[in-house]
Coordinates of all heavy atoms in Angstrom, one line a residue:
M833 N 8.8 17.0 17.9 CA 7.8 16.3 17.1 C 8.4 15.3 16.1 O 7.8 14.4 15.7 CB 7.0 17.4 16.3 CG 5.9 16.8 15.5 SD 4.8 18.1 14.9 CE 3.5 17.1 14.3
N834 N 9.6 15.6 15.7 CA 10.3 14.7 14.7 C 10.8 13.4 15.3 O 10.9 12.4 14.7 CB 11.4 15.4 14.0 CG 10.9 16.5 13.1 OD1 9.7 16.5 12.8 ND2 11.8 17.4 12.7
G835 N 11.2 13.4 16.6 CA 11.7 12.2 17.2 C 13.1 11.8 16.7 O 13.8 12.6 16.1
N836 N 13.5 10.6 17.0 CA 14.8 10.1 16.6 C 14.7 9.7 15.1 O 13.9 8.8 14.8 CB 15.2 9.0 17.5 CG 16.6 8.5 17.3 OD1 17.2 8.9 16.3 ND2 17.1 7.8 18.2
A837 N 15.6 10.3 14.3 CA 15.6 9.9 12.9 C 15.9 8.5 12.6 O 15.4 7.9 11.6 CB 16.5 10.8 12.1
L838 N 16.7 7.8 13.5 CA 17.0 6.5 13.3 C 15.8 5.5 13.3 O 15.7 4.6 12.5 CB 18.1 6.0 14.3 CG 18.5 4.6 14.2 CD1 19.3 4.3 12.9 CD2 19.4 4.2 15.4
F839 N 14.9 5.8 14.2 CA 13.7 5.0 14.3 C 12.8 5.1 13.0 O 12.3 4.2 12.5 CB 12.8 5.4 15.5 CG 13.5 5.0 16.8 CD1 13.7 6.0 17.8 CD2 13.9 3.7 17.0 CE1 14.3 5.7 19.0 CE2 14.5 3.4 18.2 CZ 14.7 4.4 19.2
H840 N 12.8 6.3 12.5 CA 12.0 6.6 11.2 C 12.7 5.9 10.0 O 12.1 5.3 9.1 CB 11.9 8.1 11.0 CG 11.0 8.7 12.0 ND1 9.7 8.5 12.2 CD2 11.4 9.6 12.9 CE1 9.2 9.2 13.2 NE2 10.2 9.9 13.6
V841 N 14.0 5.9 10.0 CA 14.8 5.2 8.9 C 14.6 3.7 9.0 O 14.3 3.1 8.0 CB 16.3 5.6 9.0 CG1 17.1 4.7 8.1 CG2 16.5 7.0 8.7
I842 N 14.6 3.2 10.2 CA 14.4 1.7 10.4 C 13.0 1.3 10.0 O 12.7 0.4 9.3 CB 14.7 1.3 11.8 CG1 16.2 1.4 12.0 CG2 14.2 -0.1 12.1 CD1 16.6 1.2 13.5
G843 N 12.0 2.1 10.4 CA 10.6 1.9 10.1 C 10.4 2.0 8.6 O 9.6 1.1 8.0
L844 N 11.0 3.0 7.9 CA 10.8 3.1 6.5 C 11.4 1.9 5.8 O 10.9 1.4 4.8 CB 11.5 4.4 6.0 CG 11.4 4.8 4.6 CD1 10.0 4.8 4.1 CD2 12.1 6.1 4.3
A845 N 12.6 1.5 6.2 CA 13.2 0.3 5.6 C 12.4 -1.0 5.7 O 12.2 -1.7 4.8 CB 14.6 0.1 6.2
V846 N 11.9 -1.2 6.9 CA 11.1 -2.4 7.2 C 9.8 -2.3 6.4 O 9.4 -3.3 5.7 CB 10.8 -2.5 8.7 CG1 9.7 -3.6 8.9 CG2 12.1 -2.9 9.5
C847 N 9.1 -1.2 6.4 CA 7.9 -1.1 5.6 C 8.1 -1.2 4.1 O 7.3 -1.8 3.4 CB 7.2 0.2 5.9 SG 6.4 0.2 7.5
T848 N 9.3 -0.7 3.6 CA 9.6 -0.9 2.2 C 9.8 -2.4 1.9 O 9.3 -2.8 0.8 CB 10.8 0.0 1.9 OG1 10.5 1.3 2.1 CG2 11.3 -0.2 0.4
L849 N 10.5 -3.1 2.7 CA 10.8 -4.5 2.5 C 9.5 -5.3 2.6 O 9.4 -6.3 1.9 CB 11.8 -5.0 3.4 CG 13.2 -4.5 3.2 CD1 14.2 -5.0 4.4 CD2 13.8 -4.9 1.9
V850 N 8.6 -4.9 3.4 CA 7.3 -5.7 3.6 C 6.3 -5.3 2.6 O 5.6 -6.2 2.0 CB 6.8 -5.5 5.0 CG1 5.4 -6.1 5.2 CG2 7.8 -6.1 6.0
L851 N 6.1 -4.0 2.3 CA 5.0 -3.6 1.5 C 5.3 -3.4 0.0 O 4.3 -3.4 -0.8 CB 4.4 -2.2 2.0 CG 3.8 -2.3 3.4 CD1 3.4 -0.9 3.8 CD2 2.5 -3.1 3.3
L852 N 6.5 -3.3 -0.4 CA 6.7 -2.9 -1.8 C 7.0 -4.0 -2.8 O 6.6 -3.9 -4.0 CB 7.9 -1.9 -1.8 CG 7.9 -0.9 -3.0 CD1 6.6 -0.2 -3.1 CD2 9.1 0.0 -2.8
P853 N 7.6 -5.2 -2.4 CA 7.9 -6.2 -3.5 C 6.7 -6.7 -4.2 O 6.7 -6.8 -5.4 CB 8.6 -7.3 -2.7 CG 9.1 -6.6 -1.5 CD 8.2 -5.5 -1.1
L854 N 5.6 -7.1 -3.5 CA 4.4 -7.7 -4.2 C 3.8 -6.7 -5.1 O 3.5 -7.0 -6.3 CB 3.4 -8.2 -3.1 CG 2.2 -8.8 -3.7 CD1 2.5 -10.0 -4.5 CD2 1.2 -9.1 -2.6
P855 N 3.5 -5.4 -4.7 CA 2.9 -4.5 -5.7 C 3.8 -4.3 -7.0 O 3.3 -4.2 -8.1 CB 2.8 -3.2 -4.9 CG 2.8 -3.6 -3.5 CD 3.6 -4.8 -3.4
L856 N 5.1 -4.3 -6.8 CA 6.0 -4.1 -7.9 C 5.9 -5.3 -8.9 O 5.9 -5.1 -10.1 CB 7.4 -3.9 -7.5 CG 7.7 -2.5 -6.8 CD1 9.1 -2.4 -6.4 CD2 7.3 -1.4 -7.7
L857 N 5.8 -6.5 -8.3 CA 5.6 -7.7 -9.2 C 4.3 -7.6 -9.9 O 4.2 -7.9 -11.1 CB 5.6 -8.9 -8.3 CG 7.0 -9.4 -7.9 CD1 6.8 -10.6 -6.9 CD2 7.8 -9.8 -9.0
V858 N 3.2 -7.3 -9.2 CA 1.9 -7.2 -9.9 C 1.9 -6.2 -10.9 O 1.4 -6.4 -12.1 CB 0.8 -7.0 -8.8 CG1 -0.5 -6.7 -9.5 CG2 0.7 -8.2 -7.9
L859 N 2.4 -5.0 -10.6 CA 2.3 -3.9 -11.6 C 3.2 -4.0 -12.8 O 3.0 -3.4 -13.8 CB 2.5 -2.5 -10.9 CG 1.5 -2.2 -9.9 CD1 1.9 -0.9 -9.1 CD2 0.1 -2.0 -10.5
T860 N 4.2 -4.9 -12.7 CA 5.1 -5.2 -13.8 C 4.6 -6.4 -14.6 O 5.3 -6.8 -15.6 CB 6.6 -5.4 -13.4 OG1 6.6 -6.4 -12.5 CG2 7.1 -4.1 -12.8
G861 N 3.5 -6.9 -14.2 CA 2.9 -8.0 -15.0 C 3.4 -9.4 -14.5 O 3.1 -10.4 -15.2
R862 N 4.1 -9.5 -13.4 CA 4.5 -10.8 -12.9 C 3.8 -11.2 -11.7 O 4.4 -11.5 -10.6 CB 6.0 -10.8 -12.7 CG 6.8 -10.6 -14.0 CD 8.2 -10.6 -13.8 NE 8.6 -9.2 -13.5 CZ 9.7 -8.7 -13.0 NH1 10.6 -9.6 -12.6 NH2 9.9 -7.5 -12.8
T863 N 2.5 -11.3 -11.7 CA 1.6 -11.6 -10.6 C 1.9 -13.1 -10.2 O 1.8 -14.0 -11.0 CB 0.2 -11.4 -10.9 OG1 0.0 -10.1 -11.4 CG2 -0.7 -11.7 -9.7
P864 N 2.2 -13.3 -8.9 CA 2.4 -14.7 -8.5 C 1.1 -15.5 -8.7 O 0.0 -15.0 -8.5 CB 2.7 -14.5 -7.0 CG 3.2 -13.1 -6.8 CD 2.5 -12.3 -7.9
G865 N 1.3 -16.7 -9.1 CA 0.1 -17.6 -9.4 C -0.9 -17.7 -8.3 O -2.1 -17.8 -8.4
R866 N -0.3 -17.9 -7.1 CA -1.2 -18.0 -5.9 C -2.1 -16.8 -5.7 O -3.3 -16.9 -5.3 CB -0.3 -18.2 -4.7 CG -1.0 -18.9 -3.6 CD 0.0 -19.4 -2.5 NE -0.8 -19.7 -1.4 CZ -0.3 -20.0 -0.2 NH1 1.0 -20.0 -0.1 NH2 -1.0 -20.3 0.8
L867 N -1.6 -15.6 -5.9 CA -2.3 -14.4 -5.8 C -3.4 -14.3 -6.9 O -4.5 -13.9 -6.7 CB -1.4 -13.1 -5.8 CG -2.1 -11.8 -5.6 CD1 -2.7 -11.7 -4.2 CD2 -1.1 -10.7 -5.9
R868 N -3.0 -14.7 -8.1 CA -3.8 -14.6 -9.2 C -5.1 -15.5 -9.1 O -6.2 -15.1 -9.5 CB -3.1 -15.0 -10.5 CG -3.8 -14.7 -11.8 CD -2.9 -15.0 -13.0 NE -1.6 -14.5 -13.0 CZ -0.5 -15.3 -13.0 NH1 -0.6 -16.6 -13.0 NH2 0.7 -14.8 -13.0
T869 N -4.9 -16.6 -8.4 CA -6.1 -17.5 -8.2 C -6.9 -17.1 -7.0 O -8.1 -17.5 -6.9 CB -5.6 -19.0 -8.0 OG1 -4.7 -19.0 -6.8 CG2 -4.8 -19.5 -9.2
R870 N -6.4 -16.3 -6.1 CA -7.2 -15.9 -4.9 C -7.8 -14.5 -5.0 O -8.8 -14.3 -4.2 CB -6.3 -16.0 -3.7 CG -5.9 -17.4 -3.4 CD -5.0 -17.4 -2.2 NE -4.5 -18.8 -1.9 CZ -4.5 -19.3 -0.7 NH1 -4.8 -18.6 0.3 NH2 -4.1 -20.6 -0.6
V871 N -7.3 -13.6 -5.8 CA -7.8 -12.3 -5.8 C -8.2 -11.9 -7.2 O -7.5 -12.2 -8.2 CB -6.6 -11.3 -5.4 CG1 -7.1 -9.8 -5.5 CG2 -6.2 -11.6 -4.0
A872 N -9.4 -11.5 -7.3 CA -10.0 -11.2 -8.7 C -9.4 -9.9 -9.3 O -9.2 -9.9 -10.5 CB -11.5 -11.0 -8.6
D873 N -9.0 -9.0 -8.5 CA -8.4 -7.7 -9.0 C -7.0 -7.5 -8.3 O -7.0 -6.6 -7.4 CB -9.4 -6.6 -8.8 CG -8.9 -5.3 -9.5 OD1 -8.0 -5.3 -10.2 OD2 -9.6 -4.3 -9.2
P874 N -6.0 -8.2 -8.7 CA -4.7 -8.0 -8.0 C -4.1 -6.6 -8.2 O -3.3 -6.1 -7.4 CB -3.8 -9.1 -8.6 CG -4.5 -9.5 -9.9 CD -5.9 -9.2 -9.7
R875 N -4.5 -5.9 -9.3 CA -3.9 -4.6 -9.5 C -4.4 -3.6 -8.5 O -3.7 -2.8 -8.0 CB -4.3 -4.1 -10.9 CG -3.7 -2.8 -11.3 CD -4.0 -2.5 -12.8 NE -3.5 -1.2 -13.1 CZ -2.2 -0.9 -13.6 NH1 -1.4 -1.9 -13.7 NH2 -1.9 0.3 -13.9
S876 N -5.7 -3.7 -8.1 CA -6.2 -2.8 -7.0 C -5.6 -3.1 -5.7 O -5.3 -2.2 -4.9 CB -7.7 -3.0 -6.9 OG -8.4 -2.4 -8.0
L877 N -5.3 -4.4 -5.4 CA -4.6 -4.8 -4.2 C -3.2 -4.2 -4.2 O -2.7 -3.7 -3.2 CB -4.6 -6.3 -4.1 CG -3.9 -6.8 -2.8 CD1 -4.7 -6.4 -1.6 CD2 -3.8 -8.3 -2.9
A878 N -2.5 -4.3 -5.3 CA -1.2 -3.7 -5.4 C -1.2 -2.2 -5.2 O -0.3 -1.7 -4.5 CB -0.6 -4.1 -6.8
L879 N -2.1 -1.5 -5.8 CA -2.2 -0.1 -5.6 C -2.5 0.3 -4.2 O -2.1 1.3 -3.6 CB -3.2 0.5 -6.6 CG -2.8 0.5 -8.1 CD1 -3.9 1.0 -8.9 CD2 -1.5 1.3 -8.3
A880 N -3.3 -0.6 -3.5 CA -3.6 -0.4 -2.1 C -2.4 -0.5 -1.2 O -2.1 0.4 -0.4 CB -4.7 -1.4 -1.6
L881 N -1.6 -1.5 -1.5 CA -0.3 -1.6 -0.8 C 0.6 -0.5 -1.0 O 1.3 0.0 -0.1 CB 0.3 -3.0 -1.1 CG -0.4 -4.2 -0.6 CD1 0.3 -5.5 -1.1 CD2 -0.5 -4.2 0.9
I882 N 0.6 0.0 -2.2 CA 1.5 1.2 -2.5 C 0.9 2.4 -1.8 O 1.7 3.2 -1.3 CB 1.6 1.4 -4.0 CG1 2.5 0.4 -4.6 CG2 2.1 2.8 -4.3 CD1 2.7 0.4 -6.1
G883 N -0.4 2.5 -1.7 CA -1.0 3.6 -0.9 C -0.5 3.6 0.6 O -0.2 4.6 1.2
F884 N -0.5 2.3 1.1 CA -0.1 2.2 2.5 C 1.4 2.5 2.7 O 1.9 3.1 3.7 CB -0.4 0.8 3.0 CG -1.8 0.4 3.0 CD1 -2.3 -0.8 2.7 CD2 -2.8 1.4 3.4 CE1 -3.6 -1.2 2.7 CE2 -4.1 1.1 3.4 CZ -4.5 -0.2 3.1
W885 N 2.2 2.1 1.7 CA 3.6 2.4 1.7 C 3.9 3.9 1.6 O 4.7 4.4 2.3 CB 4.3 1.6 0.5 CG 5.8 1.9 0.4 CD1 6.8 1.5 1.3 CD2 6.4 2.8 -0.5 NE1 8.0 2.0 0.8 CE2 7.8 2.8 -0.3 CE3 5.9 3.5 -1.6 CZ2 8.7 3.5 -1.0 CZ3 6.9 4.2 -2.4 CH2 8.2 4.2 -2.1
L886 N 3.1 4.6 0.7 CA 3.2 6.0 0.6 C 2.9 6.7 1.9 O 3.5 7.7 2.2 CB 2.3 6.6 -0.5 CG 2.8 6.3 -1.9 CD1 1.8 6.8 -2.9 CD2 4.1 7.1 -2.2
L887 N 2.0 6.2 2.7 CA 1.6 6.7 4.0 C 2.9 6.8 4.8 O 3.2 7.8 5.5 CB 0.5 5.9 4.6 CG 0.0 6.3 6.0 CD1 -1.4 5.9 6.1 CD2 0.8 5.8 7.1
V888 N 3.6 5.7 4.8 CA 4.8 5.6 5.6 C 5.9 6.5 5.1 O 6.5 7.3 5.9 CB 5.4 4.1 5.6 CG1 6.7 4.0 6.3 CG2 4.4 3.2 6.3
V889 N 6.1 6.6 3.8 CA 7.1 7.4 3.2 C 6.8 8.9 3.5 O 7.7 9.6 3.9 CB 7.2 7.2 1.7 CG1 8.1 8.2 1.0 CG2 7.7 5.8 1.4
V890 N 5.6 9.3 3.2 CA 5.3 10.7 3.4 C 5.3 11.1 4.9 O 5.7 12.3 5.2 CB 3.9 11.0 2.8 CG1 3.4 12.4 3.1 CG2 3.9 10.8 1.3
N891 N 5.1 10.2 5.8 CA 5.3 10.5 7.2 C 6.7 10.5 7.6 O 7.1 11.4 8.5 CB 4.5 9.5 8.1 CG 3.2 10.1 8.5 OD1 3.1 11.3 8.8 ND2 2.2 9.2 8.6
A892 N 7.5 9.6 7.1 CA 8.9 9.4 7.6 C 9.9 10.4 7.1 O 10.7 10.9 7.8 CB 9.3 8.0 7.4
V893 N 9.8 10.7 5.8 CA 10.8 11.5 5.1 C 11.0 12.9 5.8 O 12.1 13.3 6.1 CB 10.6 11.6 3.6 CG1 11.5 12.6 3.0 CG2 10.9 10.2 3.0
P894 N 9.9 13.6 6.0 CA 10.1 15.0 6.6 C 10.7 14.9 8.0 O 11.5 15.7 8.4 CB 8.7 15.6 6.6 CG 7.8 14.7 5.9 CD 8.5 13.4 5.6
R895 N 10.3 13.8 8.7 CA 10.9 13.7 10.1 C 12.3 13.3 10.1 O 13.1 13.8 10.9 CB 10.1 12.6 10.8 CG 8.6 13.0 11.0 CD 7.8 11.8 11.6 NE 6.4 12.0 11.4 CZ 5.6 12.7 12.3 NH1 6.1 13.2 13.3 NH2 4.3 12.8 12.0
I896 N 12.7 12.5 9.1 CA 14.1 12.1 8.9 C 15.0 13.3 8.6 O 16.1 13.5 9.1 CB 14.3 11.0 7.9 CG1 13.7 9.7 8.3 CG2 15.8 10.8 7.5 CD1 13.5 8.6 7.3
L897 N 14.4 14.2 7.7 CA 15.1 15.4 7.3 C 15.1 16.5 8.3 O 15.7 17.5 8.1 CB 14.6 15.9 6.0 CG 14.7 14.9 4.8 CD1 14.0 15.5 3.6 CD2 16.2 14.6 4.5
G898 N 14.3 16.3 9.4 CA 14.2 17.3 10.4 C 13.4 18.6 10.0 O 13.8 19.7 10.4
A899 N 12.4 18.4 9.3 CA 11.6 19.5 8.8 C 10.8 20.1 10.0 O 10.7 19.5 11.0 CB 10.6 19.0 7.7
G900 N 10.3 21.3 9.7 CA 9.6 22.1 10.7 C 8.3 21.4 11.0 O 7.8 20.6 10.3
T901 N 7.6 21.9 12.1 CA 6.4 21.4 12.6 C 5.3 21.5 11.5 O 4.5 20.6 11.3 CB 6.0 22.1 13.9 OG1 7.0 22.0 14.8 CG2 4.7 21.5 14.4
G902 N 5.2 22.7 10.8 CA 4.2 22.9 9.8 C 4.3 21.9 8.6 O 3.3 21.4 8.2
V903 N 5.5 21.7 8.2 CA 5.8 20.7 7.1 C 5.4 19.3 7.5 O 4.8 18.6 6.8 CB 7.3 20.8 6.6 CG1 7.5 19.7 5.6 CG2 7.6 22.2 6.1
V904 N 5.8 18.9 8.7 CA 5.5 17.6 9.2 C 4.0 17.4 9.3 O 3.4 16.4 9.0 CB 6.2 17.3 10.6 CG1 5.7 16.1 11.2 CG2 7.7 17.3 10.4
A905 N 3.3 18.4 9.8 CA 1.8 18.4 10.0 C 1.2 18.3 8.6 O 0.2 17.5 8.4 CB 1.3 19.6 10.7
A906 N 1.6 19.0 7.6 CA 1.1 19.0 6.3 C 1.3 17.6 5.6 O 0.4 17.1 5.0 CB 1.7 20.1 5.4
C907 N 2.5 17.1 5.8 CA 2.8 15.8 5.3 C 2.0 14.7 6.0 O 1.6 13.7 5.3 CB 4.3 15.5 5.4 SG 5.3 16.4 4.2
S908 N 1.7 14.9 7.2 CA 0.9 13.9 7.9 C -0.5 13.9 7.3 O -1.2 12.8 7.2 CB 0.8 14.2 9.4 OG 2.1 14.0 10.0
I909 N -1.1 15.0 7.0 CA -2.4 15.1 6.4 C -2.4 14.4 5.0 O -3.3 13.6 4.7 CB -2.8 16.6 6.2 CG1 -3.1 17.1 7.6 CG2 -4.1 16.7 5.4 CD1 -3.3 18.6 7.7
V910 N -1.3 14.7 4.2 CA -1.2 14.0 2.9 C -1.1 12.5 3.1 O -1.6 11.7 2.4 CB 0.0 14.6 2.1 CG1 0.3 13.8 0.9 CG2 -0.2 16.0 1.8
A911 N -0.3 12.1 4.1 CA -0.2 10.7 4.4 C -1.5 10.0 4.8 O -1.8 8.9 4.3 CB 0.8 10.5 5.5
V912 N -2.3 10.7 5.5 CA -3.6 10.1 5.8 C -4.5 10.0 4.6 O -5.1 8.9 4.4 CB -4.4 11.0 6.9 CG1 -5.8 10.7 7.0 CG2 -3.7 11.0 8.2
L913 N -4.4 10.9 3.7 CA -5.1 10.8 2.4 C -4.6 9.6 1.6 O -5.4 8.9 0.9 CB -5.0 12.1 1.6 CG -5.7 13.3 2.2 CD1 -5.4 14.5 1.4 CD2 -7.2 13.0 2.4
C914 N -3.3 9.4 1.6 CA -2.7 8.2 0.9 C -3.2 6.9 1.5 O -3.5 5.9 0.8 CB -1.2 8.2 1.0 SG -0.4 9.5 0.0
G915 N -3.3 6.9 2.8 CA -3.8 5.7 3.6 C -5.2 5.5 3.2 O -5.7 4.3 3.0
L916 N -6.0 6.5 3.2 CA -7.5 6.4 2.9 C -7.6 5.9 1.4 O -8.5 5.0 1.2 CB -8.2 7.7 3.0 CG -8.4 8.1 4.5 CD1 -9.0 9.5 4.5 CD2 -9.3 7.1 5.2
G917 N -6.8 6.4 0.5 CA -6.8 5.8 -0.8 C -6.5 4.4 -0.9 O -7.1 3.6 -1.6
G918 N -5.5 4.0 -0.1 CA -5.2 2.5 0.0 C -6.3 1.7 0.6 O -6.6 0.6 0.1
V919 N -7.0 2.2 1.6 CA -8.2 1.5 2.1 C -9.3 1.4 1.0 O -9.8 0.3 0.9 CB -8.7 2.3 3.3 CG1 -10.1 1.7 3.8 CG2 -7.7 2.2 4.5
V920 N -9.5 2.4 0.3 CA -10.5 2.4 -0.8 C -10.2 1.3 -1.8 O -11.0 0.5 -2.2 CB -10.7 3.8 -1.4 CG1 -11.5 3.7 -2.7 CG2 -11.4 4.7 -0.4
L921 N -8.9 1.3 -2.2 CA -8.5 0.3 -3.2 C -8.5 -1.1 -2.7 O -8.8 -2.0 -3.4 CB -7.1 0.7 -3.7 CG -7.1 1.9 -4.7 CD1 -5.6 2.4 -4.8 CD2 -7.7 1.6 -6.0
F922 N -8.2 -1.2 -1.4 CA -8.2 -2.5 -0.8 C -9.6 -3.1 -0.8 O -9.9 -4.2 -1.1 CB -7.7 -2.5 0.7 CG -7.6 -3.8 1.4 CD1 -6.7 -4.7 1.1 CD2 -8.6 -4.1 2.3 CE1 -6.6 -5.9 1.7 CE2 -8.6 -5.3 2.9 CZ -7.6 -6.2 2.6
F923 N -10.6 -2.2 -0.4 CA -12.0 -2.7 -0.4 C -12.5 -2.9 -1.8 O -13.3 -3.9 -2.0 CB -12.9 -1.6 0.3 CG -12.9 -1.7 1.8 CD1 -12.6 -0.6 2.5 CD2 -13.3 -2.9 2.4 CE1 -12.6 -0.7 3.9 CE2 -13.3 -3.0 3.7 CZ -13.0 -1.9 4.5
R924 N -12.0 -2.2 -2.8 CA -12.3 -2.5 -4.2 C -11.9 -3.9 -4.6 O -12.6 -4.6 -5.3 CB -11.7 -1.4 -5.1 CG -12.0 -1.6 -6.5 CD -11.4 -0.5 -7.4 NE -11.5 -0.8 -8.8 CZ -10.9 -0.2 -9.7 NH1 -10.2 0.9 -9.5 NH2 -11.1 -0.5 -11.0
A925 N -10.7 -4.2 -4.2 CA -10.2 -5.6 -4.5 C -11.0 -6.6 -3.8 O -11.3 -7.7 -4.4 CB -8.7 -5.7 -4.2
A926 N -11.3 -6.4 -2.5 CA -12.1 -7.3 -1.8 C -13.5 -7.5 -2.4 O -14.0 -8.6 -2.5 CB -12.2 -6.9 -0.3
W927 N -14.1 -6.4 -2.8 CA -15.5 -6.5 -3.4 C -15.4 -7.2 -4.7 O -16.3 -8.0 -5.0 CB -16.1 -5.1 -3.5 CG -16.6 -4.6 -2.2 CD1 -17.1 -5.2 -1.2 CD2 -16.5 -3.2 -1.9 NE1 -17.4 -4.3 -0.2 CE2 -17.0 -3.1 -0.6 CE3 -16.1 -2.0 -2.5 CZ2 -17.1 -1.9 0.1 CZ3 -16.2 -0.8 -1.8 CH2 -16.7 -0.7 -0.5
A928 N -14.4 -7.0 -5.5 CA -14.3 -7.7 -6.8 C -14.1 -9.2 -6.5 O -14.6 -10.0 -7.3 CB -13.1 -7.1 -7.6
T929 N -13.3 -9.5 -5.5 CA -13.1 -11.0 -5.2 C -14.3 -11.6 -4.7 O -14.7 -12.7 -5.1 CB -11.9 -11.1 -4.2 OG1 -10.8 -10.5 -4.7 CG2 -11.7 -12.6 -3.9
A930 N -15.1 -10.9 -3.9 CA -16.4 -11.4 -3.3 C -17.4 -11.6 -4.5 O -18.1 -12.6 -4.5 CB -16.9 -10.5 -2.3
R931 N -17.4 -10.6 -5.4 CA -18.3 -10.7 -6.5 C -18.0 -11.9 -7.4 O -18.8 -12.6 -7.9 CB -18.3 -9.4 -7.3 CG -19.4 -9.3 -8.4 CD -19.4 -7.9 -9.0 NE -18.7 -6.9 -8.3 CZ -17.7 -6.2 -8.8 NH1 -17.2 -6.4 -10.0 NH2 -17.1 -5.3 -8.0
A932 N -16.7 -12.1 -7.6 CA -16.2 -13.2 -8.5 C -16.5 -14.5 -7.8 O -16.9 -15.5 -8.5 CB -14.7 -13.0 -8.8
A933 N -16.4 -14.6 -6.5 CA -16.7 -15.8 -5.8 C -18.2 -16.2 -5.9 O -18.6 -17.3 -6.0 CB -16.3 -15.7 -4.4
R934 N -19.1 -15.1 -5.8 CA -20.5 -15.3 -5.9 C -20.9 -15.8 -7.3 O -21.7 -16.7 -7.5 CB -21.3 -14.1 -5.6 CG -21.5 -13.8 -4.2 CD -22.6 -12.8 -4.0 NE -22.3 -11.5 -4.7 CZ -21.6 -10.5 -4.3 NH1 -21.1 -10.5 -3.1 NH2 -21.4 -9.4 -5.1
T935 N -20.3 -15.3 -8.3 CA -20.7 -15.6 -9.7 C -19.8 -16.8 -10.2 O -20.2 -17.3 -11.3 CB -20.5 -14.4 -10.7 OG1 -19.1 -14.0 -10.6 CG2 -21.4 -13.3 -10.2
G936 N -18.8 -17.2 -9.5 CA -18.0 -18.3 -10.0 C -17.0 -17.9 -11.0 O -16.4 -18.8 -11.7
R937 N -16.7 -16.6 -11.2 CA -15.7 -16.2 -12.3 C -14.6 -15.4 -11.6 O -14.7 -14.9 -10.5 CB -16.4 -15.2 -13.3 CG -17.5 -15.9 -14.1 CD -18.0 -14.9 -15.1 NE -18.8 -13.9 -14.4 CZ -18.8 -12.6 -14.7 NH1 -18.1 -12.1 -15.6 NH2 -19.6 -11.8 -14.0
R938 N -13.5 -15.4 -12.3 CA -12.4 -14.5 -11.9 C -12.1 -13.6 -13.0 O -12.3 -13.9 -14.2 CB -11.1 -15.4 -11.7 CG -11.2 -16.3 -10.6 CD -10.9 -15.6 -9.3 NE -10.9 -16.5 -8.2 CZ -11.2 -16.1 -7.0 NH1 -11.5 -14.9 -6.7 NH2 -11.2 -17.0 -6.0
H939 N -11.8 -12.3 -12.7 CA -11.5 -11.2 -13.6 C -12.8 -10.8 -14.2 O -13.5 -10.4 -14.6 CB -10.5 -11.5 -14.6 CG -9.1 -11.8 -14.1 ND1 -8.3 -10.9 -13.5 CD2 -8.5 -13.0 -13.9 CE1 -7.2 -11.5 -13.1 NE2 -7.3 -12.8 -13.3

């Protein structure tokens, strides 16, 4: 069930490089200007991306460590919850942006 740990390490590294830099910039207060002008709620978008990254981390780490089937299954359930949280936050950011576009305001 764990598969080859190397594939999980490579996947975790790639997802970290793709998903983590932008949320860290936004959450530390250094939101890129282009994102600030296009998204009404960049903090929700950043938290959504962190939720998607947590999905990868919680799925990959037990498999890399060679955990038992029960631990991997429990972590997979937690990962799905992290992913669902990311989806909810992503939709929250999208709805805030759509609402701001309708009213002509940002933030």
